[in-house]
Amino acid sequence: MTHVHTRSEIHLNLFATACGHHAAAWRAPDSAVERIGAIEYWEQLAQLAERGCLDAFFLADGQALGPGSAPVRYFDPLTTLAAVARATERIGLVATISSTFWTPFPAARMLASLDHLSGGRAGVNVVTSMTDAEARNHGMDRLPGREQRYARAEEFIVAMQGLWDSWEDGAVRADRDGAYLDAARIHPVDHRGRYFEVAGPLTVPRSPQGRPVVLQAGASEPGRALAARYAEGIYAVAWDAQAGRRYRADLRRRVAAAGRNPDDVVVMPGLVTEVASTEREARARRAELDALLPVAESLRQLSFFVGQDASDWELDAPVPELPPVEEFTGPVGRYATVLRMIETRKPTVRELLGLLAAGGGHATLIGTPEQVAETMLNWVDSGAADGFNLMPPTLPGSLEDVVEQLVPELQRRGRFRREYRETTLRERWSRE
Amino acid sequence: MTHVHTRSEIHLNLFATACGHHAAAWRAPDSAVERIGAIEYWEQLAQLAERGCLDAFFLADGQALGPGSAPVRYFDPLTTLAAVARATERIGLVATISSTFWTPFPAARMLASLDHLSGGRAGVNVVTSMTDAEARNHGMDRLPGREQRYARAEEFIVAMQGLWDSWEDGAVRADRDGAYLDAARIHPVDHRGRYFEVAGPLTVPRSPQGRPVVLQAGASEPGRALAARYAEGIYAVAWDAQAGRRYRADLRRRVAAAGRNPDDVVVMPGLVTEVASTEREARARRAELDALLPVAESLRQLSFFVGQDASDWELDAPVPELPPVEEFTGPVGRYATVLRMIETRKPTVRELLGLLAAGGGHATLIGTPEQVAETMLNWVDSGAADGFNLMPPTLPGSLEDVVEQLVPELQRRGRFRREYRETTLRERWSRE
């Protein structure tokens, strides 16, 4: 029961990182690595995305310094997006918040504030976090188990929704001869759950969207179950259209089973693009980037992914044959993706390092604007996606290519907006 | 051992609230009550304060909707100040954070981000919160006791400082042929205390100030003890210069006993001013504002403050004689202030309601710029203050009067800066 997307326009977010999603992007001679500590840099990324009429500017988050040597982020998402809100006018603003470490009251309050500050453009990507290092910055020895994290995530969303709904429209009367507030339109929340107790009401009057838009990226069983019940936008992982179709069909089934309309959920797989006026140029540019990868470090990472020593693999030869996934004893998800990468792309070892270095298991399209747009629309028209969460390998470079080449190609085909019509992010994502 | 302030220039913060510190300010026909939900309004307040070269723009905070009918705030302080940082260039930005409800990692991280965003202008006013209603929004049935709140506040500051110090200057190498980070300059925190466990390091590189400036407002015994050990700026409460001198002398003694230089701590009592070209006009303007107070509500509040039914007191007669503080069984601090107000100002009942309605027990000066400046400088020169936390009864109105009349008068006397010299808030508050 794959549902084929019938709307003409697709959705595109910018998943913003410091220097781009390729692990070696910051090493490029013209990278912005010296500017990522300036808020102006992030504002300019958002302005560039807004020039391309992208749906939303999305910031991931982590609560501990990663082991990698590449710069991923700098400031926290909420203060960054408050600044970006004032530097932009129409683009959506999505902050990632960990329900494992935050509590509902401050989260709901800051998101409501961001929704006010941006005139109704705020979204929240609720994540459950991934590492013990993050837990150790928040008074825990290790990360709680997945089931517990997702149970808490659900309660976190429910409590935030209760707080957002605690003020009705019109609760602020500002009647100079009477009361400032209409107490009858402000309600307690009295949430008493397993993880949180919140009396409410919120201290912030109802924001333009009422509830900021909720996104989710869960791929696991409890992640999908949570997304089905609450997510309005989904950041998915799909290496190819087949995986995309399988995921989206499953998700839509679950959304319907949860009593919601599947068309109210926008599924956006991550997508790494490299576009240039010729395919050859696009490939060359990507090869240049791959050549900047510190090989020893990348091979160490690959060895871990494939469960065998890859340190003496010949870089420019095809990847040696690997045992089937059934025989693999390490983390299966990543290994299965590596096998699919090898099966579908037949990369050299160096190319495989590059594929893993930019977006990991996310879809990767390299070619002319026509080629990349064609494939993207094939994904959408075959039910593999409603749009994409763009993960430019370099920033601002690859985003400029998106805005100047890919978006115009999609617009020529009548498949992407030429200007913003809606005021709020929710309106942008709802099927009218 | 009252230390007389010998530096020529005084310090002035703007304590920003929605419509001003007078409880009836929002009722005035020209109040900004319809604009307080627009971030532009708050940006403009900060820009106006910056035009007057004020030291810092200070936002208080509360974690529950108050019982009062007047609008006090709107958004949360951190997203507001991130926006304000981008709308201003030199003024300090002080966010209030409750150590009773926050944990050190997210607080240190967002404050470090704000310090980056503002180029080194961030400060944090650490409070321990005051009401059970706030506690009930954070999973507690009631507010922990004062001793416990202050013990937690101390640990909160220590853990934040550890996180802020976890990155040395120069830890970001951005060496394209080597590493992005210099791991030898990034250190774990490994804080394990009674209230918090934080492994560290922070995820944000060291900010311009290293540590954002710490402010404190404690008036109680544990509050003063905490301020003595950590505060760089103190928001004090003093109804008159005598109370100011007593407080400041005590604080400076404690600071010295804690092994710090008392000159490194800026003591700023709250100050409500009403300035106009004649004293008569200033008084008339204040009387107009007082006349907007809903009398029944104000008398109910006064009845509570004085522990007897004040509902039939004659409004334009002097306040009836009240028993001495020793005989009072309710909350003593406020009652003592009411007695001092009556003793020093001999107000009518209506005037007393007005004094209580704007700033409560804080100093209140009404008159010409010359009169008000004269009294302010007397406070500073007699050791009662290093400057003031301005609490304009109306906003932006009274702030315009400060910027256009009071500040120029202080400048004429050589007692206030005519332009900003320093880049960071800490430089502005340190004695060179």
Side-chain angles (χ1 to χ4, degrees), chain B residues 359-431:
Chain B
H362 288 281
T364 301
L365 300 178
I366 301 173
T368 65
E370 295 74 19
Q371 291 172 320
V372 172
E374 184 74 25
T375 307
M376 289 168 71
L377 295 176
N378 281 344
W379 277 57
V380 172
D381 293 340
S382 71
D386 298 297
F388 299 91
N389 211 12
L390 297 176
M391 303 166 67
T394 68
L395 281 169
S398 308
L399 177 60
E400 282 165 9
D401 298 336
V402 164
V403 170
E404 287 160 18
Q405 300 184 54
L406 185 57
V407 162
E409 177 61 27
L410 291 165
Q411 287 169 336
R412 261 192 294 280
R413 296 170 186 236
R415 303 300 297 272
F416 198 64
R417 70 180 70 84
R418 289 176 182 273
E419 57 186 20
Y420 291 109
R421 289 175 299 262
E422 330 76 6
T423 307
T424 67
L425 180 57
R426 177 165 292 109
E427 290 170 296
R428 191 163 301 147
W429 284 357
S430 66
R431 267 75 161 175

Side-chain angles (χ1 to χ4, degrees), chain A residues 13 40 95 154 166 230 256 403 406 432:
Chain A
N13 291 345
E40 290 84 349
E154 170 152 18
S166 63
Y230 301 99
V403 170
L406 185 58
E432 45 286 78

